[in-house]
């Protein structure tokens, strides 16, 4: 049964310039304008037997049948898709499999969903029923969902709404490079985990690709296709990134004729999905034509590039049905989060003399309109939406860093500070008490002269304090998170002669000798930002800064932190800095596919302060699981509730350091010299001396 | 917050010429006696700012009387640190100190540096007057965006 018949007719945006086809209905790229979508709120559990009764004696044939075919109650029917190869049956449609490698895919996903990803602010949808819900990014030119058109004037009257980051392009020295040079560039970028460079390289690869245009008189038989010509789309100047979570789709539409020229390409990242195509013509049709007008289903695998040109771009609508699974060649494939990267050529408004009178079967003359100028940049990461900060410059001299530059960026506010505040208790319980101390850091502290005053910048729950105390020194800790600092108080256990467990005093066990007990009850800590360490200059004998630098999101901030460390330590004093390494050890569970990433932290609700609120709210009414998830993500902005595991997942921003990167940073500071450096347990470290 | 810790804290508010030492305005103080490590105290004396310690001691004295009872006496300190400490571990005494005076001095220093805890109150920048809150013995030195 074709579900498509129940849907609303295709929406084609009425252009004032007169190339309308079907009478205008609702908007163009709305999130879920198909009637089916409204009714379907599928159960989030994607396992097979959700609502079917499990009592075998009363199992009906129908429910058993549904179970066998993995049908989820409430989902739209799932027609068979048989097109998984190049033998697409829509004229002008080409699907190129494995356009990018898995590594390239990972690198692209890492930067497009990473901390520097410039997600657009919520936009109103075309029919003004609400906001477009799925997350989108625009580069080059904004695509405005409300008017279903491109915002051409980036500066003037459209103002902020028309601003978006430039389209990533290659560095100057690669302009006009050969295809081989481009391949090398992309390969290097992948190896160095430079996601944005990979993106710039892939966009260029799409630009240069020679699509083979064939006739499609006998769609079922590939041998009868004739090669007509080759076509490249060199003037691509607009990119929209869409994130489709499982169950999300996009309503049936044709991209506005007057907004974009011929040749629209879509790269699928992370997952595949089935796309529906339907030709729209007016008037009567004979049997043969009706057959041709039936909806065509095409499966777009991950890493494939889809080209819509000619009729596929101008006459056929496309759609992704909102449901949780697809059926491809008899196999049920669950939907996973898919990123689509759509590349288009935004064009100038066609002049009135350019119109044809809307002949259905040919593209109208706006295909011949001029492309808008390309707005590109090879500086990364791209500046965020509406945010001027973030430009990375490697020529900053120490004196040019004004104090005022160090207000906390949003990325760190939301994905470092807020996270540690929320998870403080669990952090302390699981990392602190049974904490792993990096051996080099512990050795550093042991080797300090007795009676040293040590600053622990970013001390967290104070897990290095016992090591300092046992070495006969005094530590003053600072951290940005007050909740985390509060867990320092009384966190150690006294090792006394009655201690049956056998483990003596020592930093690893968090047990300290009785002599130091006063220190444990009242550790010397202050809430402070490492950008402005509240200690007087040249006062400390030594400092440690462990697992802090990887939470600083800009070059300037990393330099500033090192400068502050240098300022508070007296001349001749030593500093130990440690941060996460991009290169993890062989057997590590961790794999980082970019230099700036989100590292999840799975929090048990019982440790979360706002859990009490959420639990009581959930208990009051018969809320289903989906609403609990919503409550957690409301209580903790940016966190998601993983129902399966019953955990709240926070995303921590981390910048992973390449080998030598810490040393490079230190080189900018003339008052610091490097005494030692190395790698241990997934971290890079340096030992510095103040000179 | 101990007075030893206070001795190191400074204010970094924009426009501050010298945000040190911070004035203490305690509203809650506790006392907890701890074992003395003489060697440690002698060592510390070479690192602290003595005049800041003096002022801090005077600033907390009243609060100590009200919170710790009239029996509690905040040890007094000489205006100038004994020479042997201010010269930095110099054991070549120019001025002979007698043993008991020395020991008494070190004990006083220990009590003041380690055993008196400001749990609640404020630290005030001497330059700008900016007040930093102390809660649970932890001063909050985070600056607002317009102060950095």
């Amino acid at each position: 049964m074709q579900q498509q018949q129940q849907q609303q007719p295709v929406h084609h945006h009425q252009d004032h310039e007169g190339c309308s086809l079907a009478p205008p209905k609702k908007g163009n790229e709305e999130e879920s304008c198909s009637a089916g979508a409204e009714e379907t709120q599928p159960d989030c559990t994607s396992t097979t037997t959700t609502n079917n009764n499990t009592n075998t004696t009363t199992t009906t044939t129908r429910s058993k049948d549904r179970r066998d075919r993995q049908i989820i109650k409430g989902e739209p029917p799932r027609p068979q898709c048989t097109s998984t190869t190049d033998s697409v049956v829509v004229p002008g449609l080409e699907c190129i499999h494995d356009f990018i490698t898995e590594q390239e895919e990972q690198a692209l996903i890492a930067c497009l969903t990473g901390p520097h990803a410039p997600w657009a602010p919520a936009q109103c949808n075309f029919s003004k029923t609400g906001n477009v819900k799925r997350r989108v990014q625009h580069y080059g030119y904004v695509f405005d969902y409300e008017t279903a058109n491109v915002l051409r004037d980036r500066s003037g009257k459209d103002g902020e709404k028309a601003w978006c980051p430039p389209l990533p392009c290659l560095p100057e020295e690669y302009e006009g490079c050969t295809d081989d040079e481009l391949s090398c560039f992309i390969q290097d970028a992948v190896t160095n985990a430079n996601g944005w460079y990979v993106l710039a390289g892939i966009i260029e690869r799409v630009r240069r690709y020679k699509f083979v245009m064939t006739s499609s008189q006998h769609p079922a038989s590939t041998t009868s296709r004739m090669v007509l010509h080759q076509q490249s789309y060199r003037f691509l100047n607009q990119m929209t990134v869409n994130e489709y979570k499982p169950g999300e789709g996009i309503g049936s539409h044709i991209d506005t004729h007057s907004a974009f020229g011929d040749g629209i390409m879509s790269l699928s990242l992370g997952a595949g999905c089935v796309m529906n195509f339907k030709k729209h013509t007016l008037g009567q049709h004979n049997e043969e034509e009706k057959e041709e007008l039936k909806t065509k289903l095409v499966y777009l695998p991950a890493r494939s590039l889809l080209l819509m040109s000619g009729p596929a771009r101008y006459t056929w609508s496309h759609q992704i049905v909102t449901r949780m699974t697809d059926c491809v060649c008899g196999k049920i494939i669950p939907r996973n989060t898919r990123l689509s990267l759509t590349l288009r050529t935004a064009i100038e408004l066609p002049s009135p003399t350019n119109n044809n009178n809307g002949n259905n079967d040919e593209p109208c003359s706006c295909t011949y309109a001029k492309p808008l100028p390309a707005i590109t940049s090879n500086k990364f990461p791209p500046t965020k939406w509406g945010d001027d900060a973030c430009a990375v410059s490697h020529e900053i001299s120490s004196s040019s860093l004004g104090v005022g530059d160090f207000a906390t960026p949003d990325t760190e506010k939301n994905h470092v500070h807020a996270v540690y505040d929320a998870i403080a208790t669990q952090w302390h319980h699981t990392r602190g008490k049974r904490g792993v101390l990096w051996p080099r850091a512990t050795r550093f502290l042991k080797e300090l002269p007795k009676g040293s005053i040590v600053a622990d910048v970013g001390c967290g729950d104070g897990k290095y304090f016992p090591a300092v105390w046992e070495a006969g020194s005094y530590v003053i800790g600072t951290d940005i998170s007050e909740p985390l600092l509060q867990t320092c108080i009384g966190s150690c256990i006294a090792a006394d002669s009655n201690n049956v467990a056998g483990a003596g005093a020592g930093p690893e066990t968090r047990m300290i000798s009785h002599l130091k007990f006063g220190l444990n009850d009242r550790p010397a800590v202050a809430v402070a930002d490492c950008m402005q360490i509240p200690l007087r200059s040249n006062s400390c004998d030594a400092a440690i800064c462990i697992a802090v630098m990887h939470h600083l999101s800009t070059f300037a901030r990393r330099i500033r932190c090192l400068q502050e460390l240098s300022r508070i330590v007296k001349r001749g004093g030593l500093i130990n800095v440690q941060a996460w390494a991009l290169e993890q050890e062989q057997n590590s569970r961790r794999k980082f596919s970019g230099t700036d990433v989100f590292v999840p932290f799975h929090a048990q609700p019982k440790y979360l302060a706002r859990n009490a609120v959420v639990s009581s709210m959930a208990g009051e009414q018969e809320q289903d699981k989906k609403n609990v998830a919503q409550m957690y993500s409301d209580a903790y902005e940016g966190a998601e509730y993983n129902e399966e595991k019953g955990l709240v997942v926070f995303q921590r921003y981390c910048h992973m350091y390449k080998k030598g990167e810490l040393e490079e940073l230190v080189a900018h500071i003339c008052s610091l010299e490097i005494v030692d450096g190395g790698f241990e347990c997934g971290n890079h470290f340096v030992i510095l001396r103040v000179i | 917050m101990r007075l030893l810790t206070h001795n190191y804290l400074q204010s970094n508010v924009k426009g501050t010429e010298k945000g040190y030492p911070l004035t203490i305005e305690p509203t809650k103080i506790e006392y907890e006696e701890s074992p003395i490590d003489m060697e440690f105290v002698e060592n510390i004396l070479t690192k602290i700012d003595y005049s800041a310690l003096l002022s801090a001691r005077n600033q907390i004295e009243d609060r100590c009387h009200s919170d710790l009872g009239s029996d509690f006496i905040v040890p007094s300190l000489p205006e100038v640190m004994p020479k042997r400490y201010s010269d930095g571990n110099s054991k070549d005494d120019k001025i002979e100190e007698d043993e008991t005076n020395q020991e008494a001095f070190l004990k006083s220093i220990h009590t003041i540096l380690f055993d008196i805890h400001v749990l609640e109150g404020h630290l005030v920048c001497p330059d700008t007057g900016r007040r930093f809150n102390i809660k649970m013995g932890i001063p909050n030195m985070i600056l607002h965006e317009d102060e950095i």
Side-chain angles (χ1 to χ4, degrees):
Chain A
M1 180 176 83
Q2 290 287 335
Q3 188 250 344
Q4 283 67 29
Q5 265 93 39
Q6 297 163 6
Q7 290 166 354
Q8 294 161 6
V10 69
H11 320 297
H12 180 69
H13 181 64
Q14 165 102 60
D15 295 315
H16 299 298
E17 294 69 39
C19 47
S20 59
L21 292 180
K25 280 279 191 148
K26 285 205 315 193
N28 199 329
E29 286 192 292
E30 274 187 60
E31 184 206 344
S32 57
C33 54
S34 59
E38 259 65 68
E39 289 143 10
T40 58
Q41 291 295 327
D43 275 341
C44 284
T45 51
S46 55
T47 51
T48 54
T49 54
T50 53
N51 300 306
N52 296 330
N53 61 59
T54 50
N55 183 340
T56 49
T57 56
T58 57
T59 305
T60 62
T61 314
R62 200 172 113 214
S63 65
K64 180 178 180 298
D65 185 39
R66 274 164 64 194
R67 198 168 63 232
D68 290 342
R69 288 190 289 142
Q70 296 183 38
I71 289 178
I72 296 167
K73 191 171 176 182
E75 278 241 299
R78 191 178 47 218
Q80 261 275 18
C81 165
T82 54
S83 178
T84 59
T85 70
D86 288 311
S87 59
V88 292
V89 294
V90 176
L93 197 72
E94 295 280 338
C95 182
I96 292 136
H97 291 213
D98 295 308
F99 188 78
I100 58 175
T101 65
E102 273 182 40
Q103 285 188 314
E104 289 165 351
E105 180 188 37
Q106 271 173 35
L108 292 177
I109 292 175
C111 80
L112 292 172
T113 59
H116 294 297
W119 297 105
Q123 280 186 290
C124 189
N125 62 17
F126 187 78
S127 47
K128 301 198 189 347
T129 53
N131 283 342
V132 175
K133 286 200 186 64
R134 37 167 218 286
R135 296 201 293 175
V136 297
Q137 300 167 28
H138 301 293
Y139 298 81
Y141 291 92
V142 173
F143 180 80
D144 180 30
Y145 295 92
E146 209 175 338
T147 57
N149 213 314
V150 158
L151 297 180
R152 292 173 172 82
D153 187 355
R154 281 176 58 95
S155 55
K157 52 178 173 52
D158 281 323
E160 274 173 24
K161 217 171 97 166
W163 189 90
C164 67
L167 192 65
C169 70
L170 301 174
E172 274 111 25
E173 59 270 28
Y174 281 91
E175 271 167 35
C177 66
T178 64
D179 288 348
D180 281 340
E181 284 165 341
L182 178 63
S183 296
C184 284
F185 173 80
I186 296 173
Q187 183 55 53
D188 283 344
V190 168
T191 308
N192 292 324
N194 273 325
W196 296 102
Y197 283 143
V198 177
L199 181 59
I202 298 295
I203 291 173
E204 182 63 18
R205 183 191 291 171
V206 175
R207 245 197 220 104
R208 295 183 183 198
Y209 191 84
K210 297 185 177 70
F211 293 94
V212 173
M213 314 310 276
T214 64
S215 71
S216 48
Q217 313 250 302
H218 303 282
S221 156
T222 50
T223 55
S224 68
R225 293 165 110 207
M226 288 169 12
V227 175
L228 297 179
H229 64 273
Q230 286 191 330
Q231 173 80 49
S232 295
Y233 297 97
R234 292 198 163 265
F235 298 106
L236 298 173
N237 58 15
Q238 197 277 340
M239 179 166 76
T240 294
V241 177
N242 278 280
E243 181 190 55
Y244 292 96
K245 292 218 159 87
E248 285 178 353
I250 186 170
S252 187
H253 68 281
I254 298 176
D255 284 29
T256 308
H257 281 206
S258 61
F260 303 109
D262 199 3
I264 292 183
M265 276 129 282
S266 214
L267 186 64
S268 295
L269 303 174
C273 76
V274 167
M275 190 172 269
N276 297 10
F277 290 87
K278 192 164 167 61
K279 185 170 181 183
H280 295 277
T281 58
L282 304 169
Q284 307 279 15
H285 303 288
N286 58 31
E287 282 306 314
E288 198 187 299
E289 285 166 333
K290 275 190 188 155
E291 178 61 36
E292 203 194 298
L293 290 175
K294 261 197 193 153
T295 301
K296 316 288 184 192
L297 305 172
V298 181
Y299 181 66
L300 311 176
R303 299 185 300 287
S304 68
L305 183 73
L306 181 74
L307 166 70
M308 291 178 281
S309 67
R313 182 259 178 277
Y314 289 102
T315 323
W316 290 65
S317 70
H318 55 275
Q319 169 193 32
I320 296 173
V321 177
T322 55
R323 56 175 180 239
M324 299 297 285
T325 60
D326 291 313
C327 177
V328 183
C329 297
K331 209 172 131 201
I332 311 289
I333 304 181
R335 291 268 184 91
N336 283 311
T337 300
R338 170 178 170 267
L339 280 185
S340 88
L341 213 137
T342 303
L343 286 161
R344 305 181 269 205
T345 308
I347 52 178
E348 293 189 5
L349 288 174
S351 63
T353 56
N354 262 348
N355 294 331
N356 63 13
N357 36 18
N359 186 322
N360 281 354
D361 296 319
E362 286 177 46
C364 64
S365 319
C366 40
T367 53
Y368 305 117
K370 241 179 88 177
L372 291 175
I375 313 278
T376 60
S377 166
N378 51 32
K379 299 274 176 288
F380 306 112
T383 51
K384 279 186 178 299
W385 202 283
D387 178 357
D388 286 329
C390 277
V392 175
S393 159
H394 290 271
E395 285 159 23
I396 295 176
S397 66
S398 306
S399 58
S400 73
L401 291 176
V403 171
D405 296 335
F406 301 105
T408 310
D410 283 344
T411 303
E412 291 178 38
K413 264 195 198 139
N414 300 330
H415 293 287
V416 179
H417 302 176
V419 175
Y420 282 107
D421 280 351
I423 67 177
T425 315
Q426 181 173 345
W427 184 265
H428 177 57
H429 274 234
T430 58
R431 312 278 167 119
K433 275 189 179 160
R434 290 154 222 125
V436 179
L437 303 184
W438 305 129
R440 192 61 184 84
T442 319
R443 195 183 112 199
F444 174 85
L445 294 169
K446 276 195 185 130
E447 289 175 355
L448 292 174
K450 235 179 118 171
S452 293
I453 305 282
V454 183
D456 184 347
V457 176
C459 63
D461 64 344
K463 73 179 189 186
Y464 284 100
F465 292 0
V468 180
W469 298 333
E470 288 300 325
S473 292
Y474 186 78
V475 57
I476 301 176
T478 65
D479 200 276
I480 194 91
S481 170
E482 193 170 8
L484 206 45
L485 281 178
Q486 287 168 352
T487 66
C488 288
I489 301 171
S491 64
C492 303
I493 313 160
D496 55 32
S497 50
N498 296 330
N499 191 338
V500 182
E508 301 296 333
T509 58
R510 279 248 175 181
M511 288 196 229
I512 51 173
S513 58
H514 186 71
L515 193 64
K516 306 289 191 301
F517 214 83
L519 289 172
N520 160 63
D521 268 349
R522 310 180 196 271
V525 293
V527 191
D529 191 336
C530 62
M531 299 288 97
Q532 293 92 24
I533 305 176
L535 299 175
R536 54 184 166 90
S537 306
N538 307 310
S539 59
C540 303
D541 297 297
I544 60 172
C545 186
I546 314 278
V548 174
M549 290 281 280
H550 57 236
H551 285 315
L552 297 177
S553 58
T554 70
F555 173 82
R557 288 169 69 77
R558 293 163 205 150
I559 292 284
R560 170 65 172 204
C561 184
L562 291 172
Q563 283 177 325
E564 279 289 279
L565 289 166
S566 169
R567 177 183 68 77
I568 62 173
V569 172
K570 52 175 63 144
R571 196 186 271 185
L574 295 175
I575 304 171
N576 180 10
V577 179
Q578 265 182 250
W580 265 351
L582 182 64
E583 313 86 351
Q584 290 295 301
E585 285 162 319
Q586 286 289 349
N587 302 323
S588 170
R589 283 182 299 139
R590 294 195 187 283
K591 265 187 162 9
F592 301 119
S593 43
T595 54
D596 291 80
V597 293
F598 285 124
V599 177
F601 182 90
H602 294 88
Q604 299 171 46
K606 71 181 183 194
Y607 285 115
L608 298 176
R610 287 169 224 174
N611 177 51
V613 174
V614 174
S615 310
S616 66
M617 279 172 66
E620 274 162 22
Q621 309 153 49
E622 284 301 318
Q623 303 279 12
D624 63 347
K625 287 182 193 169
K626 194 168 182 187
N627 284 337
V628 171
Q630 189 62 50
M631 277 188 254
Y632 271 115
S633 70
D634 288 344
Y636 292 102
E637 208 183 295
E640 287 189 349
Y641 184 62
N642 181 321
E643 289 167 37
E644 228 181 284
K645 296 183 182 171
L647 298 171
V648 183
V649 185
F650 293 88
Q651 299 293 346
R652 280 174 299 161
Y653 165 80
C654 287
H655 171 82
M656 299 301 166
Y657 285 82
K658 300 194 184 115
K659 186 171 172 196
E661 191 176 338
L662 281 177
E663 287 86 342
E664 265 179 50
L665 286 170
V666 173
H668 283 88
I669 300 165
C670 42
S671 56
L672 291 176
E673 71 175 5
I674 300 173
V675 168
D676 193 7
F679 176 94
E680 69 166 7
C681 310
N683 287 312
H684 288 304
F685 71 87
V686 285
I687 313 282
L688 310 169
R689 179 182 291 120
V690 178
I691 50 176
Chain B
M1 181 196 70
R2 288 183 193 79
L3 264 54
L4 172 55
T5 309
H6 163 265
N7 201 268
Y8 282 81
L9 291 174
Q10 88 170 13
S11 153
N12 293 326
V13 173
K14 182 164 72 176
T16 309
E17 294 257 316
K18 188 178 185 215
Y20 178 88
L22 297 159
T23 308
I24 311 179
E25 288 179 5
T27 55
K28 184 172 172 203
I29 285 189
E30 273 180 18
Y31 168 74
E32 189 176 327
E33 195 178 343
S34 66
I36 303 178
D37 182 343
M38 285 297 190
E39 203 188 317
F40 191 87
V41 177
E42 280 191 324
N43 199 327
I44 279 284
L45 280 172
T46 61
K47 305 182 203 236
I48 58 168
D49 182 318
Y50 189 75
S51 66
L53 182 64
L54 272 186
S55 334
R57 180 227 168 265
N58 296 336
Q59 285 156 11
I60 57 155
E61 191 161 23
D62 287 342
R63 196 77 231 167
C64 284
H65 286 151
S66 48
D67 282 3
L68 304 177
S70 44
D71 289 346
F72 184 85
I73 299 172
V74 182
S76 57
L77 293 175
E79 281 299 311
V80 175
M81 192 159 50
K83 243 178 181 262
R84 63 176 295 173
Y85 303 115
S86 54
D87 284 347
N89 280 339
S90 148
K91 300 281 193 214
D92 306 328
D93 296 318
K94 292 200 172 89
I95 298 161
E96 285 290 332
E97 309 266 352
D98 75 74
E99 285 290 331
T100 41
N101 273 350
Q102 247 181 56
E103 203 181 299
F105 174 68
L106 290 176
K107 277 188 178 163
S108 303
I109 288 286
H110 169 91
T111 302
I112 293 171
L113 284 179
F114 284 96
D115 295 347
I116 301 176
H117 302 274
V118 179
L119 294 184
E120 276 163 37
H122 287 93
L123 294 172
V124 186
C125 174
D127 215 344
T128 62
R130 187 354 178 141
R131 301 163 70 75
F132 298 93
N133 190 35
I134 306 173
K135 186 171 104 179
M136 289 169 69
I138 304 176
N140 189 328
M141 309 302 293
I142 303 234
L143 300 176
H144 305 138
E145 277 185 20
D146 56 351
E147 293 174 318
I148 55 177

